[in-house]
């Protein structure tokens, strides 16, 4: 603070007269309130996850992670994300192309529909598939007669995950591609490129950071989803338990170290997601539409 | 931008040299219909098929009403708390410069990234009577875990980024010259905040509130661990849906879900009206 250069920059940047900003003591109080609030509500929950996971030492931690049921929960979570994220990438790109590159009737309505899953409770997102595919469901009898299992199995978990992560890629790409306009694509087409080449060599490089940003958020939610998956999974240990569901089971069995060990992996995923997201925002902020808000 | 030639009559889409409209729109609509629209209309169809007397009996069941009251009530309180603290967080992040600001800014998104079940067990452990925070509150006679207050705490965690991320970009756009002009005309800092800054932020704050509220009403994972889940006292509506499903009571689960959807949409409508009012009032 003693550096005169910094001080003058600050004064220039922050205020010219005291009435345009709060007084120094008021600033200190506001910052103290904010830090205390964020410390209690954000930092402590994060710290306690790792604290509890390591409460009985590193060996107990690694041991609970090498448990067979835990391993299968990790594998299932990776499998579900590996199926549902690419599905939503294809949808997101396709929807963004249709909505951003063309003017057609009902566009605004379609954009609203894409956001619909965000305003539905995760439990309801799971419930709708139970009503459709369950034993008493609309298609339940037909599925049973044909020996197709969707509910309480991997397909149901994938469907519920696709439902809750549905908007992430699309809502990132749509505003970005709208902002970029059609000029580049029209130039490529007029130079003789076909549609596929135009997309692959012109559009995709233009939106790659925005796409990555959407995929990052989509993946975090896909791996962490609890409510929707909980309703359709059936909670069969070693078979239909994803990592978040496994956290619940271990926690309810009073296996705190086990529950928090799995939770620490998910918290690690969240931290990696946040770091990558922040890096993307810092380096490619202009090429990411979502930096204006979620 | 494509320049549309003067055209007569109704046209579904404006002409464009860019290919792939049919393919991408067709695929998007098919995918949207299969994944979202058919399952959701199944829910509406099933609840309509219940018939009015049965639907009314479920809707007016004491346990259903209490669960809905708890869900909407706690979500409202949490969103209100987040409006105050979220706006303050956004203000400090936008206006003040301090070391580690970038990290604090990134941390605000933690509730978006942290799986709700992880948040649930972490908060429960913190606020349990023998937990780090619960231990401090115990002598004061405040019980958080396994009470409705616990639900509020979980929903504050979940909803915070919605308010901060809605208000922050609008704050960044505020032109400081307006504040300077008001100051030179003799306005006090308090007057500037209430008369100049707040009106500009009101629509964003309303949006942030409604997003946090809507998310809180439907929230499940982070709440069920800390709530205690006592019927009539600390049982949230999404949990009641799950309980009814586990009892194979599909009609009750369907009806409660339909009521929740209806109330959420009603709320969105009210928020939109409130927003257009505040735009007229302040805009």
């Amino acid at each position: 603070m003693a550096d005169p250069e910094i001080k003058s920059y600050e004064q220039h940047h922050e205020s010219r007269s005291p009435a345009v900003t709060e007084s120094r003591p008021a600033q200190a109080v506001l910052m103290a309130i904010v830090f205390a609030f964020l410390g209690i509500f954000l930092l402590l929950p994060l710290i306690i996850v790792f604290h509890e996971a390591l409460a009985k030492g590193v060996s107990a931690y690694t041991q609970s992670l090498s448990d067979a049921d835990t391993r299968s929960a990790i594998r299932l979570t990776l499998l579900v994300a590996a199926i549902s994220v690419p599905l939503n990438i294809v949808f997101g790109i396709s929807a963004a192309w249709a909505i951003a590159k063309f003017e057609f009737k009902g566009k605004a309505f379609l954009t609203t529909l894409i956001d619909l899953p965000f305003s539905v409770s995760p439990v309801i997102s799971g419930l709708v598939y139970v009503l459709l595919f369950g034993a008493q469901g609309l298609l339940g009898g037909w599925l049973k007669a044909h020996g197709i299992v969707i509910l309480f199995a991997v397909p149901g978990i994938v469907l519920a995950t696709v439902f809750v992560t549905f908007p992430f890629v699309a809502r990132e790409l749509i505003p970005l591609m709208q902002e970029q306009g059609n000029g580049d694509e029209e130039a490529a087409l007029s130079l003789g490129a076909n549609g596929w080449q135009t997309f692959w060599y012109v559009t995709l490089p233009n939106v790659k950071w925005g796409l990555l940003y959407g995929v990052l958020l989509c993946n975090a939610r896909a791996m962490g989803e609890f409510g929707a998956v909980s309703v359709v999974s059936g909670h069969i240990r070693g078979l239909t338990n994803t990592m978040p569901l496994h956290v619940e089971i271990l926690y309810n069995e009073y296996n705190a170290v086990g529950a928090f060990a799995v939770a620490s992996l998910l918290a690690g995923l969240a931290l990696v997601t946040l770091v990558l997201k922040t890096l993307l925002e810092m380096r490619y902020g202009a090429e990411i539409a979502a930096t204006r808000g979620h | 931008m494509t320049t549309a030639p003067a055209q007569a009559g109704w046209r579904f889409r404006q002409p464009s040299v860019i290919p792939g409209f049919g393919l991408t729109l067709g695929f998007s609509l098919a995918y949207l219909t299969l994944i979202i629209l058919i399952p959701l209309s199944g829910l509406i169809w099933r609840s309509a098929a219940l018939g009015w007397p049965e639907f009314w009996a479920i809707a007016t069941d004491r346990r259903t009403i209490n669960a809905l009251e708890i869900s909407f009530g706690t979500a409202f309180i949490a969103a209100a708390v987040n409006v105050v603290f979220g706006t303050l967080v956004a203000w400090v992040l936008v206006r003040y410069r301090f070391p580690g600001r970038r990290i604090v800014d990134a941390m605000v998104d933690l509730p978006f990234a942290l799986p709700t079940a992880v948040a649930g067990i972490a908060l429960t452990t913190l606020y349990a009577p023998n937990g780090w925070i619960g231990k401090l509150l115990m002598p004061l006679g405040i019980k958080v875990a396994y009470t409705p207050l616990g639900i509020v705490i979980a929903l504050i965690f979940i909803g915070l980024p919605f308010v901060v991320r809605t208000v922050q970009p609008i704050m960044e756009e505020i032109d400081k010259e307006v504040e300077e002009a008001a100051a030179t005309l003799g306005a006090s800092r308090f007057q500037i905040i209430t008369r100049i800054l707040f009106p500009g932020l009101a629509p964003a704050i309303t949006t942030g509130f409604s997003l946090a509220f809507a998310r809180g009403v439907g929230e499940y994972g982070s709440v069920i661990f800390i709530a205690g889940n006592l019927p009539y006292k600390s049982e949230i509506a999404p949990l009641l849906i799950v309980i009814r499903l586990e009892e194979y009571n599909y009609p009750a689960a369907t009806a409660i879900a339909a009521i929740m959807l209806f109330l959420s949409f009603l709320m969105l409508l009210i928020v939109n009206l409130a927003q257009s009012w505040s735009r007229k009032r302040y805009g």
Side-chain angles (χ1 to χ4, degrees):
Chain A
M1 282 297 146
D3 192 329
E5 225 179 271
I6 290 175
K7 193 133 196 217
S8 74
Y9 164 77
E10 252 190 14
Q11 271 177 355
H12 175 74
H13 193 260
E14 286 295 299
S15 65
R16 283 173 209 126
S17 90
V20 231
T21 186
E22 292 74 42
S23 65
R24 279 274 165 204
Q27 285 194 16
V29 170
L30 289 183
M31 279 171 69
I33 293 172
V34 162
F35 288 150
F37 179 81
L38 294 180
I40 290 170
F41 276 93
L42 299 184
L43 202 55
L44 276 184
L46 196 58
I47 292 171
I48 197 129
V49 170
F50 295 99
H51 179 268
E52 293 292 309
L54 295 166
K56 291 194 177 140
V58 177
S59 64
Y61 175 76
T62 48
Q63 206 177 351
S64 48
L65 285 184
S66 56
D67 175 72
D69 287 342
T70 303
R71 298 251 147 166
S72 84
I74 296 172
R75 270 196 302 273
L76 181 59
T77 290
L78 293 175
L79 173 72
V80 169
I83 301 170
S84 46
V85 175
L87 279 175
N88 281 338
I89 292 176
V90 173
F91 165 73
I93 291 174
S94 156
W97 185 271
I99 290 175
K101 300 288 174 202
F102 301 94
E103 292 298 327
F104 58 93
K105 308 274 182 209
K107 195 159 105 161
F109 183 61
L110 180 58
T111 316
T112 312
L113 280 184
I114 290 174
D115 270 347
L116 200 59
F118 277 163
S119 44
V120 174
S121 170
V123 166
I124 298 179
S125 314
L127 171 72
V128 294
Y129 290 111
V130 176
L131 294 179
L132 213 55
F133 301 126
Q136 304 176 35
L138 298 173
L139 299 175
W142 186 87
L143 288 173
K144 201 171 178 205
H146 290 76
I148 303 169
V149 182
I150 291 182
L151 221 52
F152 311 131
V154 177
I157 298 173
V158 170
L159 275 174
T161 306
V162 168
F163 187 110
V164 291
T165 59
F166 187 85
F168 280 104
V169 177
R171 70 178 348 222
E172 171 57 36
L173 285 184
I174 291 167
L176 183 63
M177 280 166 67
Q178 271 173 337
E179 217 165 85
Q180 289 176 344
N182 291 352
D184 289 359
E185 283 78 10
E186 281 162 0
L189 290 165
S190 73
L191 291 171
N194 65 33
W196 184 246
Q197 288 170 325
T198 306
F199 168 73
W200 196 251
Y201 295 109
V202 177
T203 310
L204 201 56
N206 276 345
V207 299
K208 61 177 184 285
W209 298 116
L211 178 64
L212 188 61
Y213 191 89
V215 170
L216 202 62
L217 300 182
C218 183
N219 178 63
R221 182 71 194 267
M223 289 190 171
E225 178 51 31
F226 180 76
V229 169
S230 165
V231 172
V232 297
S233 121
H235 304 271
I236 308 162
R237 274 184 103 120
L239 280 178
T240 63
N241 248 356
T242 61
M243 285 168 78
L245 297 181
H246 198 52
V247 167
E248 184 197 22
I249 286 190
L250 294 172
Y251 186 80
N252 288 342
E253 288 171 347
Y254 301 103
N255 181 355
V257 170
F260 278 101
V262 181
S264 75
L265 296 182
L266 291 169
L269 168 77
L271 287 178
V272 169
T273 304
L274 284 186
V275 168
L276 291 177
K277 179 175 166 297
T278 309
L279 287 178
L280 279 177
E281 283 167 3
M282 281 166 74
R283 291 203 54 181
Y284 305 104
E287 294 167 61
I288 295 167
T291 39
R292 285 191 303 269
H294 295 262
Chain B
M1 279 283 109
T2 47
T3 46
Q7 49 183 263
W10 192 87
R11 207 183 250 276
F12 172 59
R13 96 176 154 98
Q14 292 179 18
S16 164
V17 292
I18 297 190
F21 179 72
L23 177 71
T24 54
L25 186 71
F27 175 77
S28 303
L29 285 178
Y31 189 80
L32 179 78
T33 309
L34 280 176
I35 301 283
I36 310 288
L37 298 182
I38 290 180
L40 267 183
S41 22
L43 172 75
I44 292 159
W45 187 77
R46 286 286 287 247
S47 59
L50 282 178
W52 186 245
E54 197 184 354
F55 185 88
W56 188 249
I58 297 163
T60 53
D61 178 50
R62 198 64 247 165
R63 197 167 164 188
T64 309
I65 292 178
N66 280 14
L68 288 168
E69 276 173 4
I70 291 164
S71 276
F72 280 83
T74 52
F76 187 90
I77 297 169
V81 171
N82 274 330
V83 159
V84 175
F85 285 98
T87 309
L88 205 57
V89 170
W91 182 256
V92 166
L93 286 175
V94 170
R95 285 298 174 98
Y96 301 167
R97 292 290 167 269
F98 52 90
R101 193 180 63 93
R102 194 69 238 190
I103 295 169
V104 176
D105 197 350
M107 276 287 293
V108 169
D109 278 336
L110 181 72
F112 282 151
L114 193 70
T116 52
V118 178
I121 63 168
L123 290 170
T124 311
T125 308
L126 281 175
Y127 288 93
N130 59 351
W132 291 354
I133 300 176
K135 218 166 18 190
L136 301 175
L137 295 175
M138 224 23 197
L140 305 172
I142 304 170
K143 268 199 220 160
V144 177
Y146 320 122
T147 69
L149 190 56
I151 305 176
V152 173
I153 296 284
L155 296 184
I156 292 174
F157 175 85
I158 292 298
L160 178 71
F162 288 96
V163 176
V164 178
R165 294 303 184 228
T166 323
V167 175
Q168 198 178 11
I170 310 298
M171 261 180 197
E172 271 161 6
E173 279 168 22
I174 293 176
D175 192 352
K176 272 200 160 178
E177 280 173 15
V178 185
E179 282 171 75
E180 283 165 7
T184 55
L185 292 169
S188 72
R189 188 65 194 150
F190 180 76
Q191 283 174 319
I192 293 174
I193 289 170
T194 52
R195 301 275 183 86
I196 294 175
L197 294 175
F198 180 73
L201 294 174
I205 291 175
T206 320
T207 308
F209 175 87
S210 65
L211 290 174
F213 183 45
R215 176 67 203 266
V217 167
E219 179 56 23
Y220 176 72
S222 61
V223 173
I224 55 162
F225 295 98
I226 202 169
N229 307 326
L230 286 172
Y232 308 103
K233 288 203 173 70
S234 58
E235 184 178 68
I236 54 166
L239 177 66
L240 191 56
I241 294 177
V242 172
I243 290 173
R244 293 302 186 221
L245 265 181
E246 281 167 358
E247 296 167 352
Y248 297 103
N249 188 349
Y250 282 33
T254 310
I256 301 167
I259 296 168
M260 280 188 74
L261 280 183
F262 172 75
L263 289 176
S264 301
F265 285 124
L266 194 69
M267 205 184 64
L268 271 182
L269 192 74
I270 293 170
V271 166
N272 281 338
L273 289 176
Q275 253 183 345
S276 63
W277 175 82
S278 83
R279 238 178 250 124
K280 253 181 238 154
R281 170 88 168 71
Y282 295 117

